[in-house]
């Protein structure tokens, strides 16, 4: 048994990761693409956010396709409200503009 009183605490490997998410100000917008299909675009990522993993999580949750392009995530379909909720649940701040 250790004498360290902090051994039982559940501290993540990178305790500042959540802080990075909370300080980012993401913007969501919807564009119409080919054949008037809607696409939700998520912009404003900074730092070391793993966009591929986040995009994969969002695509699975929404049951839709998408891609990561030039530091943005593009999701097929008009899912702006649902994407906002999912990102806020993950600790991101969304610009309400």
């Amino acid at each position: 048994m250790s004498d360290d009183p902090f051994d039982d605490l559940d501290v993540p490997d990178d305790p500042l990761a959540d802080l990075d998410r909370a300080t980012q100000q993401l913007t969501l917008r919807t564009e119409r693409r080919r054949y008037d299909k809607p696409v939700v675009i998520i912009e404003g990522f900074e730092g070391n956010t793993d966009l591929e993993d986040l995009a994969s999580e969002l695509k699975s949750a929404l049951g839709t396709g998408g891609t990561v392009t030039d530091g943005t995530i593009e999701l097929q379909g008009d899912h702006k409200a649902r994407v906002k909720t999912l990102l806020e649940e993950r600790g991101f701040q969304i610009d309400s503009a």
Side-chain angles (χ1 to χ4, degrees), residues 33-75:
R33 296 279 173 93
R34 195 173 210 188
Y35 305 112
D36 206 31
K37 301 276 185 175
V39 175
V40 175
I41 300 174
I42 310 165
E43 301 173 309
F45 293 101
E46 300 170 356
N48 58 359
T49 303
D50 190 353
L51 297 182
E52 293 290 338
D53 283 346
L54 180 59
S56 180
E57 290 176 23
L58 293 172
K59 290 188 298 184
S60 293
L62 297 169
T64 189
T67 187
V68 175
T69 308
D70 297 328
T72 64
I73 297 176
E74 300 178 3
L75 300 170

Side-chain angles (χ1 to χ4, degrees), residues 53-96:
D53 283 346
L54 180 59
S56 180
E57 290 176 23
L58 293 172
K59 290 188 298 184
S60 293
L62 297 169
T64 189
T67 187
V68 175
T69 308
D70 297 328
T72 64
I73 297 176
E74 300 178 3
L75 300 170
Q76 298 171 353
D78 190 10
H79 303 285
K80 189 173 177 180
R82 182 79 173 116
V83 168
K84 181 179 180 188
T85 303
L86 291 170
L87 289 172
E88 287 173 342
E89 288 173 358
R90 286 164 174 76
F92 291 99
Q93 297 293 319
I94 309 299
D95 187 11
S96 59

